[in-house]
């Protein structure tokens, strides 16, 4: 087996969680040999298009982090860097932020702070190292409702309250939570309802603890995806784009903590990758970072959020008709693609490129080439592996919840471009009667373009397991099928942001009042001292 050598050199799928080896025939959702055929053909086409250029590409180095480095980076990303290191101290903002976390979210933060603290002690850094128990002591007094809308109950699953995940004894401390009835027990949610009111990790923990929680694997023979839906909410649902940028920053921090908490509960490792910066092109169309492309496009079309070339290629494909058989699957001629590519680089921005020369299959090949040639993957270096790992989560609902949180973690440019791509792919599928491109076919053809990334060295996915290929195709299928749900901000996160804002405003008011009072006291003291001095003079 050579599964250790693909994309990011991680060994993914040697064993299922219960220890049984995967076998080729029974891969997830029984994606049959015929449909997998599209996947392997697509990989061949990719290599053919890449041709000799492949050797010239600069491999993007993914740095192997030192001990504790990942956790330190994670805390910084979550906006909690002041819990350790030179800057450690009680920032009011952090106190407010921590007070709004759910039990499982607190457990996730606590686990990372513990690791960083131990690493720092080992390195004997001359920093003030807070005890993880002190960080949460502030909340211990404020028992009561937690932000996921549920009554407090224990964080640790009932198996063993005093053991950490690796089975070693953990510190005995409470996060100010009491044993209570699971909030899910009297929830009228059906299996296909996506409950956005209660933290996903809390739902997973409760499922694990309850007798219902014999989590069935999401594999099996069904090739139909469940009809997941959002139950009607009187207050409406919050979509990405509805919130102000400063609130989206808070959403990012909470989504990162929530996703980590969910993976912790489900026993799946969540690791962000870190790319070492490489030199990239600072102009052009193909192989240019999204941010650079948008910068140059906004000079032409102010306010544009999607690269113009990307928009134009989709428009070109749709202009012909989406009923063409084998659309996206049948490639353009490799040599033509190469020369069109060079011509576009030279003439696209001048407006002198002749689009009549571009056949529909050429435009589709150029669109896929654009995605593959991005210097960092569309799903980002940090989260590409996490997107792939979604396939390892126990239930389809949890896979969907993880994808929802991952979409919230993508930078705006990547998220907007991905949205336009998924909407386009759905329109292609809507014509499946004529073009013979079903959801499964489109997912098979697109997965190698999004998940096999040239930058991580020469060993790509085809040297890995068959099941890895089927897995990424499944993740692709999920993203297309449930795209409307994925761009929703879960209500429990919106409530946490709201609570943070309210608490911050209260604290600001108190601070203002305190400053005013101190000023008045200082003024009165001065006045009093002056009056005392006068008679003596």
């Amino acid at each position: 087996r050579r599964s250790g050598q693909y994309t990011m050199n991680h060994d993914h799928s040697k064993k299922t969680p219960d220890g049984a080896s995967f076998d080729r025939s029974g891969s997830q959702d029984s994606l049959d040999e015929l449909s997998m055929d599209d996947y392997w053909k697509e990989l061949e086409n990719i290599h053919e298009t890449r041709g000799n250029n492949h050797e010239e590409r600069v491999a993007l180095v993914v740095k192997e982090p030192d001990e504790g480095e990942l956790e330190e980076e994670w805390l910084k990303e979550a906006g909690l860097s002041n819990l350790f290191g030179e800057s450690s101290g009680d920032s009011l903002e952090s106190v407010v932020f921590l007070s709004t976390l759910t039990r499982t979210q607190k457990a996730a933060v606590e686990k990372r702070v513990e690791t960083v603290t131990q690493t720092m002690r080992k390195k004997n850094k001359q920093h003030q190292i807070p005890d993880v128990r002190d960080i949460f002591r502030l909340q211990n007094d404020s028992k009561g409702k937690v932000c996921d809308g549920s009554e407090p109950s224990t964080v640790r699953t009932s198996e063993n309250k005093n053991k950490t995940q690796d089975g070693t004894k953990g510190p005995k401390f409470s996060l100010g939570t009491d044993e209570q009835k699971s909030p899910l027990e009297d929830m009228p949610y059906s299996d296909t309802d996506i409950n956005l009111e209660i933290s996903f990790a809390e739902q997973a923990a409760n499922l694990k603890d309850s007798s219902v929680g014999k989590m069935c694997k999401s594999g099996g023979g069904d090739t139909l995806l469940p009809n997941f839906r959002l139950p009607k909410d009187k207050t409406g649902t919050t979509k990405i784009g509805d919130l102000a940028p400063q609130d989206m920053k808070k959403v990012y921090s909470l989504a990162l903590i929530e996703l980590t908490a969910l993976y912790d509960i489900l026993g799946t490792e969540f690791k962000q990758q870190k790319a070492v910066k490489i030199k990239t092109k600072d102009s052009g169309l193909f192989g240019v970072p999204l941010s650079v492309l948008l910068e140059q496009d906004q000079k032409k079309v102010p306010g544009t959020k999607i690269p113009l070339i990307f928009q134009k290629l989709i428009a070109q494909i749709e202009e012909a008709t989406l009923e063409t058989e084998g659309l996206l699957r049948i490639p353009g001629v490799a040599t033509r693609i190469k020369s069109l590519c060079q011509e576009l680089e030279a003439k696209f921005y001048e407006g002198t490129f002749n689009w009549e020369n571009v056949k529909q299959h050429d435009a589709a090949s150029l669109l896929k080439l654009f995605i593959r040639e991005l210097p960092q993957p569309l799903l980002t270096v940090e989260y590409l592996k996490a997107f792939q790992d979604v396939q390892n989560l126990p239930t389809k609902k949890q896979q969907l919840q993880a994808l929802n949180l991952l979409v919230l973690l993508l930078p705006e440019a990547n998220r907007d471009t991905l949205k336009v791509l998924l909407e386009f792919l759905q329109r292609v599928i809507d014509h499946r009667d004529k073009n013979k491109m079903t959801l499964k076919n489109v997912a098979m053809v697109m997965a190698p373009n999004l998940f096999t990334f040239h930058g991580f060295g020469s060993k790509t996915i085809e040297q890995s397991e068959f099941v890895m290929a089927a897995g990424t195709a499944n993740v692709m299928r999920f993203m297309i099928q449930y795209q409307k749900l994925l761009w929703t901000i879960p209500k429990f996160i919106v409530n946490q942001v709201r609570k943070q804002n309210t608490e911050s405003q209260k604290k600001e008011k108190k601070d203002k009042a305190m400053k005013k009072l101190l000023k008045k006291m200082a003024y009165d003291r001065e006045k009093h001292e002056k009056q005392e001095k006068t008679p003596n003079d």
Side-chain angles (χ1 to χ4, degrees), residues 14 30 34-35 79 122 133 171 188 190 203 210 220 234 264 312 320 343 405 468 475 480 497 502 505 507 526:
K14 290 204 173 180
S30 63
L34 181 72
S35 60
K122 272 185 205 162
R133 280 159 283 197
S190 79
Q203 291 179 45
S210 70
K234 287 172 197 156
D264 281 357
K312 180 61 189 161
E343 204 180 327
L405 295 168
M468 178 65 204
V475 175
I480 301 168
V497 170
T502 313
Q505 281 162 4
K507 283 210 159 42
E526 226 172 273

Side-chain angles (χ1 to χ4, degrees), residues 92-93 501-515:
L92 277 181
E93 216 171 295
N501 290 344
T502 313
E503 292 297 320
S504 296
Q505 281 162 4
K506 275 187 200 164
K507 283 210 159 42
E508 250 172 60
K509 268 187 187 168
K510 267 188 193 166
D511 289 352
K512 266 188 186 168
M514 184 59 85
K515 272 182 190 163

Side-chain angles (χ1 to χ4, degrees), residues 125-152:
K125 283 196 175 177
Q126 295 306 302
H127 293 324
Q128 170 203 359
I129 298 167
D131 188 302
V132 70
R133 280 159 283 197
D134 295 336
I135 289 162
F136 290 99
R137 197 161 281 151
L138 294 149
Q139 284 94 47
N140 283 1
D141 313 323
S142 57
K143 297 188 179 185
K145 289 231 171 193
V146 191
C147 254
D148 56 358
S150 63
E151 295 294 330

Side-chain angles (χ1 to χ4, degrees), residues 162-411:
N162 257 342
K163 289 205 175 180
T164 51
Q165 271 199 323
D166 56 1
T168 55
K169 288 272 180 189
K172 294 181 185 177
F173 58 94
S174 136
L175 297 179
T177 52
D178 299 322
E179 284 277 6
Q180 296 242 336
K181 197 168 73 132
S182 152
L184 293 189
E185 280 170 30
D186 33 43
M187 274 277 168
Y189 284 93
S190 79
D191 283 350
T192 53
D193 282 352
I194 299 298
N195 180 350
L196 297 178
E197 309 237 348
I198 291 181
S199 142
F200 298 155
E202 294 289 326
Q203 291 179 45
N206 287 319
L207 194 66
K208 212 172 170 185
D209 283 350
S210 70
S211 52
V212 195
K214 292 189 172 67
M215 295 194 202
C216 46
K217 271 304 277 180
S218 62
D222 65 305
T223 51
L224 287 172
L225 291 179
N227 187 18
F228 286 127
R229 63 187 191 89
L230 298 177
K232 283 234 169 356
D233 185 338
K234 287 172 197 156
T235 56
T237 49
T238 309
K239 294 281 182 193
I240 292 170
D242 290 350
L243 297 184
Q246 64 267 31
D247 282 341
M248 277 309 288
K249 263 187 187 167
K250 291 170 188 161
V251 167
Y252 176 89
S253 299
L254 288 163
L256 177 61
I257 295 171
E258 177 63 22
L259 184 68
T260 311
L262 180 63
Y263 275 47
D264 281 357
I265 293 283
L266 299 174
T268 302
E269 195 176 21
F270 171 65
K271 270 189 178 177
Q272 284 168 279
Q273 301 294 325
K274 194 152 176 57
V276 175
K277 280 193 176 144
I278 53 163
K279 203 172 183 302
T280 52
K281 285 164 71 179
D282 51 9
S283 65
L285 294 175
F286 295 88
V288 181
L290 271 180
S291 54
V292 173
L293 260 178
L294 285 171
E295 214 173 287
Q296 62 190 25
D297 287 355
Q298 279 159 0
K299 287 171 190 163
K300 303 240 172 233
V301 181
T304 188
K305 289 186 160 198
I306 315 295
L308 296 176
I309 181 68
F310 195 76
Q311 293 181 47
K312 180 61 189 161
L313 287 168
I314 287 177
Q316 188 68 18
I317 297 167
E318 301 207 63
E319 210 173 86
T321 168
L322 291 179
E323 295 181 355
T324 313
E325 195 168 322
L327 185 60
L328 293 176
R329 185 168 50 80
I330 297 169
V333 181
T335 47
R336 269 178 64 78
I337 301 302
K338 199 174 177 182
S339 67
L340 282 170
C341 216
Q342 289 164 347
E343 204 180 327
L344 273 166
E345 289 281 10
K347 299 177 179 175
F348 177 71
Y349 283 117
E350 288 173 12
T352 56
F353 181 79
N354 184 5
W355 283 96
E356 284 170 17
N357 294 337
V358 182
K359 295 176 179 154
Q360 193 180 31
H361 291 310
D362 293 342
S365 289
L366 284 165
L367 182 75
K368 292 187 288 189
L369 180 73
F370 173 85
I371 295 165
R372 291 196 308 272
E373 292 291 292
L374 286 169
Q376 294 211 359
L378 187 59
L379 301 176
T380 72
V381 173
E382 288 81 1
Y383 299 113
L384 184 66
K385 184 176 180 294
F387 270 96
Q388 290 171 351
D389 285 350
V390 164
Q391 61 182 301
N392 301 329
L393 300 182
T395 70
K396 286 190 169 76
K397 193 180 269 190
Q398 286 160 350
Q399 291 174 2
L400 182 59
Q401 290 169 335
L403 280 174
N404 184 191
L405 295 168
L406 279 165
V407 167
L408 292 175
L409 291 174
L410 290 176

